[in-house]
Amino acid sequence: MNPAAPTPRKTLQALILSLVFFVLDFTARPQEKPDAPVAPQVPGAASALPAATKQRLTAKDRREVFEKIWKEIHEHYYDASYNGVDWDQVHRRYGPLVENTKKDQDFYALMSQMTSELHDAHTRFSSPEQWKNFRRQQGVTAGFSVDDVDGETVVTSVIPGSDAARAGIAPGMVVLRVDDTPVGERIAEIQKKRLPSSSERATRWFIYNRVFAGPADTVVKVTLKKADGSVFEVNVRRQIYSDAPQVTTHVLASGNVYIRFDGFQRPITKEFRAALERFRQAPGLIVDLRRNGGGDLAVLLPIAGYFFGKKTLFAKDSTRTGKPLSSYVGLFKLPLQLYVGRPGEQIYSGPVVILVDSHSASSSEVFAAGMQDTLRAKVIGSQSCGCVLGIAKPRVMKGGGVLEMSEVLWFSPKGRKLEGTGIIPDQLVTPTMFDLQRGRDAVLAAADKSLVKTTVLESKETGNRNAKASEQQ
């Protein structure tokens, strides 16, 4: 037998892990988050995600679906206190609302609102159409993202080749109005309807994604201010955008290597491994997890293992029962402690810096926490999302809607609770308006500088050791 080949038991466990725990994933639904990653299809399986067949619901169907959603959360939610929410009271409030609902889309929106009562970014309900796009790794986007920068709503990224890019929208521009409504009023209107999520950062993420949301092939009018103070108005068509992940790399002038991917999904494992093998002699490595919304635990663990030459505790988790979460009739249990690394399997042993921001979520936070706690990497950027719960399985409801629910709470190797808090960088660097308008990546620059300094110090230490050894001889 080839010693490098996986055993049948390991193959089975890897498949089950991928099927069940891919959903360590902070993916907002289409028309909410254009640049979020989506959950993967599993090779060799019919689908990592259950199909959801759309059908019309009767009033009786809507009552039954409502009861099932409430009951599933009541019995299986990771926290028996329901995040401090009176779940019985939620049932009493939403029951009459369901009875008064006449249209399926209104009902699906109501169920989405009900799940958001738990203030948890991972517990959510999707309509059949949203779930179909999610499975296709597609979303609807206006082509650019915004955030609060220096107290203003500022464009932070633009999708190359998008209608927004062709219209001249660029990072650093300030959004003044959306469809003739002052952007501040638009945000305030959304805030009234949006319940708080896992953290203030997650809530802000959802709100800003809704500012420009709308159906595909519709137009949104945006008024912006350029760096020179001039104002211009553009009509941008919302487009369907693929969220399929990919690995990108380039070598910096310092010789350090930059590597980025937007989600822990297949085939990222192979691509990331190939990139590490290609640059295994690089003096330093920068792993960019900004805007990485998470993904597959079965992708996260092998990627982490590429950085360790021995078995290392990398993450901890807990469940409502305090016992390992079982799946597939007990064929596999998610351990309460997860280890990575084996002798002889480390690919990269040099210094590592990980970049995070408020959009780094879920699996990306578990990865960054593991690398940080083990002192395997330095983390630079801004505080991450704090959206770190695990979904055991999506639950398809009658009519095709899908409930996703948190059943696992994650901790760093040292026992730091990640939900709500997220990752606190070793070095805090936040992009300013000045940086964005000049196309300067201040976070990347700080990471490169840190690695150069580390390499110089290590070189001096090596030289000193060699000198002492020569003197002793």
Side-chain angles (χ1 to χ4, degrees):
M1 178 183 292
N2 180 357
T7 64
R9 178 176 177 79
K10 290 178 181 177
T11 302
L12 175 64
Q13 288 183 347
L15 176 60
I16 293 174
L17 188 65
S18 182
L19 283 168
V20 181
F21 298 107
F22 72 91
V23 279
L24 241 183
D25 174 16
F26 178 58
T27 307
R29 291 294 163 258
Q31 300 183 23
E32 283 192 355
K33 170 101 173 71
D35 58 350
V38 294
Q41 298 293 318
V42 178
S47 175
L49 299 168
T53 303
K54 183 179 180 180
Q55 67 184 72
R56 295 285 298 274
L57 297 173
T58 65
K60 181 174 179 291
D61 291 335
R62 288 193 285 269
R63 287 194 298 270
E64 290 177 353
V65 172
F66 159 66
E67 293 292 348
K68 186 173 182 180
I69 291 171
W70 185 88
K71 184 179 179 182
E72 288 287 340
I73 292 174
H74 182 262
E75 295 179 350
H76 301 289
Y77 192 64
Y78 84 99
D79 180 8
S81 70
Y82 307 102
N83 235 357
V85 174
D86 186 337
W87 196 237
D88 291 324
Q89 195 267 346
V90 168
H91 184 277
R92 291 192 295 271
R93 276 196 293 119
Y94 278 83
L97 297 176
V98 171
E99 293 293 339
N100 293 329
T101 301
K102 306 301 180 184
K103 297 180 180 179
D104 285 356
Q105 283 307 115
D106 292 339
F107 171 71
Y108 293 138
L110 187 63
M111 292 301 93
S112 176
Q113 180 77 3
M114 184 177 80
T115 55
S116 69
E117 294 272 356
L118 291 163
H119 311 301
D120 161 9
H122 280 85
T123 298
R124 59 236 176 167
F125 185 83
S126 300
S127 70
E129 186 66 25
Q130 289 172 323
W131 189 254
K132 181 179 71 173
N133 289 337
F134 180 55
R135 294 179 74 241
R136 290 177 176 176
Q137 298 188 332
Q138 291 180 338
V140 178
T141 174
F144 62 98
S145 298
V146 299
D147 209 335
D148 183 281
V149 179
D150 298 341
E152 298 190 90
T153 301
V154 179
V155 176
T156 53
S157 64
V158 181
I159 298 174
S162 65
D163 201 30
R166 289 190 292 271
I169 296 177
M173 291 184 178
V174 178
V175 178
L176 302 177
R177 291 186 294 277
V178 181
D179 289 332
D180 294 325
T181 300
V183 69
E185 291 183 16
R186 185 74 166 251
I187 292 171
E189 180 183 341
I190 297 170
Q191 282 178 323
K192 292 178 182 178
K193 301 176 182 179
R194 179 74 203 185
L195 291 170
S197 189
S198 293
S199 67
E200 180 276 330
R201 297 171 302 287
T203 304
R204 187 176 70 238
W205 188 355
F206 279 117
I207 289 171
Y208 277 122
N209 286 329
R210 295 302 303 168
V211 170
F212 307 96
D217 294 322
T218 59
V219 173
V220 57
K221 182 164 66 173
V222 188
T223 306
L224 307 105
K225 183 173 66 174
K226 297 181 179 180
D228 61 7
S230 63
V231 174
F232 80 113
E233 184 178 276
V234 291
N235 291 318
V236 178
R237 185 169 297 277
R238 300 179 179 96
Q239 300 168 280
I240 294 176
Y241 176 67
S242 173
D243 287 330
Q246 60 181 352
V247 174
T248 58
T249 63
H250 66 264
V251 180
L252 304 178
S254 62
N256 294 319
V257 170
Y258 170 90
I259 183 167
R260 176 187 176 83
F261 58 103
D262 292 328
F264 287 84
Q265 297 111 35
R266 301 171 186 270
I268 291 300
T269 310
K270 288 184 178 179
E271 293 181 18
F272 192 89
R273 181 187 180 97
L276 280 189
E277 289 177 337
R278 186 164 69 253
F279 298 114
R280 66 191 311 159
Q281 300 302 322
L285 181 71
I286 298 171
V287 181
D288 192 350
L289 298 182
R290 291 173 295 178
R291 291 194 172 275
N292 185 313
D296 194 335
L297 186 62
V299 173
L300 182 157
L301 295 178
I303 285 179
Y306 299 153
F307 294 95
F308 297 88
K310 63 180 181 179
K311 185 177 180 180
T312 304
L313 176 63
F314 198 75
K316 298 179 180 179
D317 64 272
S318 68
T319 64
R320 181 166 172 169
T321 63
K323 299 178 182 179
L325 191 65
S326 298
S327 62
Y328 286 79
V329 200
L331 286 176
F332 179 80
K333 290 185 177 181
L334 177 70
L336 297 179
Q337 294 186 331
L338 299 179
Y339 292 83
V340 300
R342 292 181 181 178
E345 294 188 2
Q346 183 178 23
I347 296 176
Y348 187 77
S349 58
V352 180
V353 171
I354 296 174
L355 310 185
V356 299
D357 65 5
S358 61
H359 301 284
S360 303
S362 204
S363 291
S364 65
E365 295 180 275
V366 174
F367 179 80
M371 296 289 281
Q372 186 182 46
D373 271 15
T374 58
L375 303 181
R376 186 62 190 87
K378 181 177 182 180
V379 179
I380 293 178
S382 51
Q383 187 175 1
S384 65
C385 185
C387 312
V388 199
L389 296 169
I391 306 166
K393 62 178 180 181
R395 291 160 164 84
V396 179
M397 301 292 158
K398 187 173 185 178
V402 176
L403 169 68
E404 295 170 278
M405 175 181 59
S406 301
E407 294 188 56
V408 182
L409 177 64
W410 291 91
F411 300 87
S412 75
K414 292 182 178 180
R416 289 183 293 152
K417 178 184 173 183
L418 301 176
E419 174 70 5
T421 303
I423 307 301
I424 307 298
D426 299 297
Q427 182 179 344
L428 185 63
V429 181
T430 304
T432 64
M433 188 88 75
F434 182 89
D435 296 324
L436 291 169
Q437 291 175 344
R438 286 155 184 77
R440 179 177 181 270
D441 191 336
V443 181
L444 177 58
D448 190 38
K449 182 178 179 181
S450 175
L451 283 175
V452 170
K453 183 178 179 181
T454 298
T455 302
V456 170
L457 290 175
E458 289 181 350
S459 178
K460 288 183 178 179
E461 290 176 358
T462 300
N464 291 335
R465 286 195 297 269
N466 291 339
K468 291 181 178 179
S470 297
E471 291 175 359
Q472 292 175 355
Q473 292 176 357

